[in-house]
Amino acid sequence: MQEATFQMELPKKAFITNFSMIIDGVTYPGNIKQKDAAQQQYSAAVARGESAGLVKATGRKMEQFQVSVSVAPAAKVTFELVYEELLMRRLGVYELLLKVQPQQLVKHLQMDIHIFEPQGISFLETESTFMTNELADALTVSQNQTKAHIRFKPTLSQQQKPAGQQDTVVDGDFIIRYDVNRTLSGGSIQIENGYFVHYFAPEGLSTIPKNVIFVIDTSGSMMGKKIQQTREALIKILEDLRPEDHFNLISFSSEASQWKPLLVPASTQNVEEAKKYANSIQARGGTNINNAMLMAVQLLDTATREEQLPLGSVSLLLLLTDGDPTVGETNPKKIQKNVKEAIGGQYSLFCLGFGFDVSYAFLEKLALDNGGLARRIYEDSDSALQLQDFYQEVANPLLTTVSFEYPGNAVEEVTQDNFPLFFKGSEMVVAGKLRAQSPDVLSATVSGQLPTENITFQMESQVAKQEEEFQKPKYIFHGFMERLWAYLTIHQLLERMVSTSDAEKQALETQALGLSLNYSFVTPLTSMVVTKPEGQEQSQVAEKPVENGRTVFRHRAMGHKRPRLPGGVALHDGGHDVPNRKSGRSGPLIPFYEKLMSERNPDVGLLSGIVGDYLDETMEETSPTAPPPAPIQAPTFILPLPGQSVDQLCVDIKSTPGPLLLLLSDPDQGLEVTGEYKMEKAQFSWIEVTFKNPQLQVHVSPEHVVVTRDRRSSQYKWKETLFMVMPGLKMTMDKAGLLLFSSPDRVTIGLLSWDGPGQGLRLLLRDTDRFSSHVGGLLGRFYQGVAWGPPDATDDSKRTLWTRGFEFNATRKLKLDYQEGTPGTELSCWSIEL
């Protein structure tokens, strides 16, 4: 007998709809039941000491499903898991995230993604955290106007780690991003099997001016990295405000204080002042959410009443907090009631919960009560980016008071059809059921408000033509639009349950439960009982983890392994003293030798004698008569020269006109490279590469890489495998930390965080013959009309170099070549100083 384990990660927004095991031809299905009924079986399993929970949250976006079963020798077991998810458009793209973790070499491993979009696919890109150039051949992407097929099918040898290891290199994320063609009418109505789905995201609308108040928690618990990241994000967000926007800042701890007495226009001067204020905020004191929110609402009320705000503008409140209220009004229900009454449906409130010490349920209700939404900000090195990304989602309102209308004789049971705001890059989705005697053409009217006028969009869809269109592709689960309608309805009912009264909650729950059971969805109201062969754990239960309060998932893995040091040394854990296991005392981590000496008091003299002898011996051994030669340094830049088959130019910076440098600019290639060089450290604090087509900006610092694509930002660590294929550009990073941007007709740009001698950020260039005649910048000038003088008559290791009226003295020197990564190789090159 052997235990076979099936483990799969799926998106948090997805619902599991089926799981079954086929063992030697016998099917063991998962049965979806009301949670209370499943709970009895779950409790009985726990009482027998069996591990009953199958699903737990993992990371920010995923949940992990895991089940094990004992299998007889030579028996065959097949696991099948089906889950369904509506891909939501965010910042201009749909994103499908798949975790590929076979955890072993697999003889036949295949992944197929089929996309069918009748509107037409406008762009498609793939990204992977495990793909390498060796694996690239296993990935094929075929695409026409409306369909795409992505296949990943690696051979055994492609999966295998080098040097004959039996481990697989296939382990990580595979991401597909795409969007569809859009028109000013802004929509597409799709029909299949008696149900319709209406997608609405119009193009060509101007951004409505917004009035935004940032309400920032500066209590003591925000101290350290949180407040630092909040400052950093706030400064970037303020820079993104448009001149026609109005804004103010409120910081709160035990008391709330406002930056200005009124909302002010986002002029250059006001933004610069606000950035200084944001940079000065300190974390101390308690948490008075109630007073801060009421102060923010009062500011907007006054500005509206006194007509200080632009006509037709949109007013938003953004609350960022990391903890529960501790000062003033501390009853969450009373705060929710006070804020809802104060806002009175006039403004939208968005709540950001920083970390896991805040009650997410409290913030979610606060936001949903007031036409907004809540989002968790995870404590990590990219927390500032998470804040900026969320702001980008709500930064550009395009329409207000949006409503969808369909002929009453044509449709019934329509999902939510009124929305307070439509933001750039998002999408509204409405689904419903066609009546039995519905017309041949389904028409829809969408109306909304612009700052000074109303706007109406008309759409029509031929029922028979649409039905036929969705019957063709073999890979489509037929009846999926009906399931999409049910999925959307359940999600909206669950949301309404958060912000409704207790009296209405029961009716909504009954409705959501009925749909969940009818369509076999594992939702927060249902559970799936997994049956197994006789003699094994009889009932394991899969439940939907709920992001609620401080508990992210219900069944935590017990036990937390902590690295242990000898002698009972305590570790300092997250700002709290951890008990010393031997003494039972609490204390922060202290230097190991101090701890050792204090615990071996009688032998202190002996210990110090050993240390002293060791130091004397070391000093004797490492004190040569002559100082050691200085290590060969890596230059700031190594430039392959056009027309030179072997020679390279090594460039060092010795003086600059200022810290900000334009390194390369080629308008024909749509490329610009800039950087900030710190003379006192003799290294770059950051380098930024910007491409015009596709629109891409990559900002690298010695710590990490930030990729921004159409207002979406992602952060990566150096030496983290990355493989991204976009239309017209490929971006890769290998385990050595070499980040490359390549394209068949472009110069290849490379970036590296070099940790050898002369450490710091480095730039690499390949295929430099592809630069256009318009290339410029500090380095670009070396690719325009370079002329070399003859070697010096007295010293042939010296020459003169001219380019664009500049003259440089070049000397043949030995440098360290960083282009292949650490430790580098010796390189003889012509060296100049700028």
Side-chain angles (χ1 to χ4, degrees):
M1 294 285 280
Q2 215 177 1
E3 189 169 61
T5 300
F6 173 79
Q7 189 186 85
M8 182 77 194
E9 289 196 25
L10 56 142
K12 282 183 181 177
K13 292 279 185 189
F15 289 152
I16 292 173
T17 58
N18 184 40
F19 174 73
S20 58
M21 295 181 290
I22 304 166
I23 304 171
D24 273 350
V26 180
T27 300
Y28 297 88
N31 299 312
I32 292 175
K33 300 185 175 185
Q34 184 176 351
K35 192 166 257 186
D36 291 347
Q39 188 67 30
Q40 293 167 12
Q41 286 175 272
Y42 170 80
S43 302
V46 171
R48 291 193 301 271
E50 296 168 359
S51 55
L54 298 180
V55 187
K56 66 177 183 182
T58 56
R60 300 176 189 176
K61 297 179 179 178
M62 307 299 278
E63 292 167 357
Q64 187 188 80
F65 177 94
Q66 179 172 315
V67 67
S68 301
V69 62
S70 295
V71 185
K76 181 184 177 186
V77 57
T78 302
F79 299 95
E80 181 177 293
L81 176 73
V82 180
Y83 67 85
E84 296 176 45
E85 173 195 19
L86 173 64
L87 295 184
M88 302 301 290
R89 187 170 183 250
R90 183 180 160 270
L91 293 172
V93 296
Y94 301 107
E95 180 178 287
L96 176 68
L97 169 59
L98 298 168
K99 288 276 184 182
V100 190
Q101 297 170 309
Q103 299 178 34
Q104 59 196 323
L105 295 172
V106 180
K107 190 175 179 183
H108 181 89
L109 174 63
Q110 185 170 323
M111 181 168 71
D112 288 279
I113 298 104
H114 294 275
I115 299 170
F116 174 46
E117 292 287 356
Q119 282 174 268
I121 299 166
S122 62
F123 87 94
L124 174 75
E125 67 184 40
T126 62
E127 178 185 334
S128 165
T129 61
F130 59 82
M131 199 76 70
T132 59
N133 286 320
E134 292 74 35
L135 269 174
D137 293 343
L139 178 67
T140 55
V141 180
S142 53
Q143 181 183 344
N144 63 21
Q145 193 178 346
T146 59
K147 294 189 181 83
H149 178 201
I150 297 119
R151 170 171 285 175
F152 178 59
K153 191 178 180 181
T155 62
L156 268 174
S157 60
Q158 285 174 316
Q159 295 171 49
Q160 197 158 1
K161 281 188 175 175
Q165 297 175 47
Q166 287 305 298
D167 293 338
T168 176
V169 296
V170 181
D171 181 11
D173 298 349
F174 188 81
I175 301 167
I176 296 105
R177 295 187 191 95
Y178 75 96
D179 198 18
V180 302
N181 297 322
R182 299 183 187 278
T183 60
L184 187 60
S185 70
S188 158
I189 300 175
Q190 298 176 5
I191 299 168
E192 193 248 8
N193 216 16
Y195 285 79
F196 77 92
V197 181
H198 185 172
Y199 301 96
F200 178 75
E203 285 289 292
L205 296 175
S206 300
T207 299
I208 298 173
K210 64 182 176 296
N211 319 303
V212 57
I213 297 184
F214 302 97
V215 186
I216 309 297
D217 183 346
T218 59
S219 60
S221 55
M222 288 283 288
M223 198 176 288
K225 200 163 185 183
K226 281 189 199 170
I227 202 74
Q228 180 189 328
Q229 291 174 319
T230 301
R231 285 191 212 111
E232 186 186 322
L234 208 44
I235 287 165
K236 288 277 188 192
I237 288 168
L238 290 166
E239 287 171 353
D240 280 344
L241 289 170
R242 296 163 176 265
E244 60 270 25
D245 294 336
H246 284 64
F247 75 106
N248 204 341
L249 299 158
I250 289 175
S251 59
F252 70 94
S253 52
S254 301
E255 297 292 332
S257 64
Q258 55 201 39
W259 167 59
K260 295 277 186 187
L262 303 167
L263 277 89
V264 296
S267 63
T268 307
Q269 185 183 341
N270 284 336
V271 167
E272 284 306 312
E273 268 188 59
K275 281 162 64 179
K276 284 176 189 167
Y277 175 80
N279 208 27
S280 70
I281 55 176
Q282 301 294 325
R284 61 171 74 88
T287 310
N288 193 335
I289 293 175
N290 190 69
N291 279 13
M293 286 309 305
L294 296 184
M295 181 185 281
V297 176
Q298 199 173 2
L299 275 170
L300 281 173
D301 283 347
T302 304
T304 307
R305 191 171 57 249
E306 296 178 7
E307 298 182 353
Q308 299 165 353
L309 305 174
L311 188 66
S313 57
V314 171
S315 295
L316 311 173
L317 294 151
L318 261 72
L319 167 67
L320 171 69
T321 180
D322 78 328
D324 293 343
T326 61
V327 177
E329 181 56 75
T330 57
N331 183 327
K333 287 190 174 177
K334 282 189 180 171
I335 295 171
Q336 288 161 344
K337 181 173 176 283
N338 292 346
V339 173
K340 187 176 182 179
E341 284 175 1
I343 289 177
Q346 297 177 84
Y347 323 121
S348 294
L349 168 61
F350 298 90
C351 298
L352 300 172
F354 205 146
F356 286 93
D357 289 332
V358 62
S359 167
Y360 188 80
F362 164 66
L363 291 183
E364 185 178 40
K365 180 166 171 55
L366 202 58
L368 292 175
D369 278 352
N370 297 288
L373 55 91
R375 182 76 55 82
R376 194 184 292 285
I377 302 297
Y378 293 84
E379 285 185 63
D380 212 332
S381 59
D382 69 340
S383 297
L385 268 188
Q386 293 176 55
L387 288 166
Q388 290 166 50
D389 256 19
F390 177 80
Y391 171 75
Q392 285 296 341
E393 287 183 55
V394 298
N396 298 289
L398 301 181
L399 280 174
T400 64
T401 327
V402 184
S403 65
F404 292 69
E405 286 181 43
Y406 308 94
N409 65 337
V411 301
E412 60 186 348
E413 296 184 53
V414 176
T415 60
Q416 182 183 342
D417 55 9
N418 282 280
F419 303 86
L421 288 166
F422 171 68
F423 294 103
K424 183 178 181 180
S426 68
E427 181 175 62
M428 290 173 173
V429 183
V430 178
K433 194 175 179 180
L434 297 179
R435 289 187 183 275
Q437 303 299 317
S438 65
D440 296 337
V441 176
L442 176 60
S443 60
T445 304
V446 183
S447 57
Q449 286 184 0
L450 297 171
T452 55
E453 60 179 328
N454 293 336
I455 186 169
T456 303
F457 303 85
Q458 300 281 354
M459 267 149 284
E460 285 188 345
S461 191
Q462 307 283 335
V463 175
K465 187 182 171 191
Q466 286 280 323
E467 290 270 15
E468 186 187 345
E469 201 163 37
F470 283 99
Q471 291 299 324
K472 287 175 190 169
K474 292 185 176 67
Y475 50 80
I476 287 180
F477 298 138
H478 296 299
F480 85 96
M481 280 197 191
E482 180 179 355
R483 300 186 63 77
L484 195 156
W485 164 80
Y487 171 96
L488 203 55
T489 304
I490 293 165
H491 264 291
Q492 290 173 359
L493 288 167
L494 293 172
E495 250 185 29
R496 281 170 60 195
M497 280 167 61
V498 172
S499 57
T500 195
S501 66
D502 290 342
E504 292 174 14
K505 196 172 286 183
Q506 189 55 54
L508 296 173
E509 185 175 320
T510 303
Q511 197 182 343
L513 174 62
L515 284 169
S516 301
L517 292 170
N518 197 23
Y519 290 94
S520 296
F521 286 134
V522 178
T523 70
L525 304 175
T526 55
S527 301
M528 182 170 66
V529 179
V530 177
T531 54
K532 291 187 179 183
E534 197 139 344
Q536 299 191 35
E537 293 176 6
Q538 278 308 294
S539 53
Q540 284 190 292
V541 178
E543 293 187 347
K544 182 80 180 160
V546 178
E547 183 141 350
N548 195 355
R550 295 168 191 75
T551 309
V552 192
F553 53 85
R554 190 166 149 219
H555 313 299
R556 288 181 185 272
M558 298 307 288
H560 177 64
K561 288 192 178 174
R562 183 190 301 286
R564 293 187 63 181
L565 299 177
V569 176
L571 283 175
H572 199 54
D573 181 16
H576 302 291
D577 289 339
V578 181
N580 177 315
R581 293 188 193 280
K582 281 193 176 177
S583 65
R585 296 190 308 274
S586 287
L589 179 61
I590 57 178
F592 182 48
Y593 67 88
E594 279 184 35
K595 188 74 183 172
L596 214 57
M597 288 173 77
S598 65
E599 290 207 345
R600 301 181 186 176
N601 240 357
D603 302 324
V604 165
L606 172 64
L607 183 67
S608 58
I610 293 167
V611 173
D613 291 348
Y614 172 74
L615 288 173
D616 290 344
E617 285 171 26
T618 311
M619 288 168 76
E620 283 164 21
E621 288 171 12
T622 58
S623 299
T625 49
I632 300 171
Q633 297 286 306
T636 312
F637 305 105
I638 299 174
L639 304 180
L641 289 170
Q644 299 268 338
S645 55
V646 288
D647 256 352
Q648 299 187 77
L649 185 66
C650 293
V651 180
D652 280 301
I653 295 178
K654 293 300 176 187
S655 66
T656 64
L660 295 179
L661 302 175
L662 175 62
L663 301 173
L664 280 171
S665 171
D666 192 337
D668 294 16
Q669 292 253 320
L671 168 70
E672 187 175 278
V673 183
T674 54
E676 182 180 72
Y677 192 79
K678 296 288 189 186
M679 288 302 300
E680 65 275 15
K681 291 185 177 178
Q683 59 178 244
F684 281 95
S685 49
W686 56 262
I687 294 176
E688 195 165 271
V689 182
T690 305
F691 295 93
K692 272 195 176 164
N693 190 23
Q695 280 194 349
L696 181 76
Q697 188 182 70
V698 180
H699 183 99
V700 304
S701 66
E703 295 76 39
H704 47 241
V705 176
V706 176
V707 178
T708 302
R709 176 106 162 84
D710 295 333
R711 300 185 298 133
R712 300 184 317 276
S713 296
S714 304
Q715 183 174 293
Y716 306 91
K717 291 173 182 153
W718 287 105
K719 302 183 181 178
E720 190 173 79
T721 313
L722 178 65
F723 197 96
M724 191 186 292
V725 181
M726 295 159 273
L729 189 68
K730 184 166 85 170
M731 180 170 79
T732 62
M733 181 158 59
D734 59 20
K735 292 283 185 191
L738 176 59
L739 182 64
L740 283 177
F741 307 91
S742 57
S743 169
D745 53 353
R746 275 195 173 127
V747 177
T748 297
I749 303 283
L751 294 164
L752 181 72
S753 183
W754 166 256
D755 46 17
Q759 65 181 31
L761 296 172
R762 292 292 189 274
L763 180 72
L764 292 81
L765 298 174
R766 295 175 187 168
D767 311 308
T768 52
D769 54 327
R770 295 175 183 167
F771 274 126
S772 77
S773 56
H774 298 113
V775 65
L778 199 68
L779 305 178
R781 57 185 164 175
F782 294 105
Y783 295 95
Q784 275 288 329
V786 173
W788 287 92
D792 191 288
T794 58
D795 185 352
D796 63 2
S797 69
K798 294 186 175 178
R799 298 176 74 175
T800 305
L801 179 152
W802 290 275
T803 176
R804 290 191 180 173
F806 290 91
E807 183 180 309
F808 299 95
N809 295 319
T811 307
R812 175 67 74 178
K813 286 184 180 175
L814 206 57
K815 293 280 187 179
L816 199 58
D817 189 348
Y818 56 75
Q819 295 175 96
E820 298 300 324
T822 314
T825 54
E826 288 188 2
L827 166 75
S828 174
C829 60
W830 289 104
S831 184
I832 65 167
E833 293 180 354
L834 299 181

